[in-house]
Amino acid sequence: ILPALELIRAHWAGPIGAYPHFGKFNAPNWEFHDIDPEDFLAEARAWLEHGAQMIGGCCGIGPKHIAALRDGLPASVPG
């Protein structure tokens, strides 16, 4: 996510979000792995520091991860 945020910020001055999945594609299937919600939160804090203003989660990210974001990140960030 961090390299993507840096690349986007170099070309875009508007809002940026991060909506990552946690897994990889091994043809012909996706494989999802577990990431501890607190580890996901730590990653999300780094994304905020690199310009993300909206953060969520896609495949492999569940309710416990989103709850960690809700409880551990500010409700809003300067835009």
Side-chain angles (χ1 to χ4, degrees):
I1 297 295
L2 289 178
L5 289 173
E6 292 171 2
L7 179 64
I8 291 167
R9 182 52 68 208
H11 299 282
W12 172 252
I16 296 175
Y19 194 80
H21 67 270
F22 194 73
K24 62 181 179 178
F25 186 71
N26 278 331
N29 302 308
W30 278 93
E31 295 178 2
F32 296 105
H33 311 282
D34 196 20
I35 181 172
D36 182 79
E38 290 301 316
D39 292 338
F40 185 64
L41 174 60
E43 294 290 327
R45 287 180 173 141
W47 305 333
L48 282 179
E49 292 173 6
H50 284 83
Q53 297 161 295
M54 300 168 281
I55 297 175
C58 196
C59 300
I61 301 300
K64 290 180 182 178
H65 300 94
I66 301 305
L69 295 179
R70 179 198 62 217
D71 296 341
L73 297 178
S76 63
V77 294

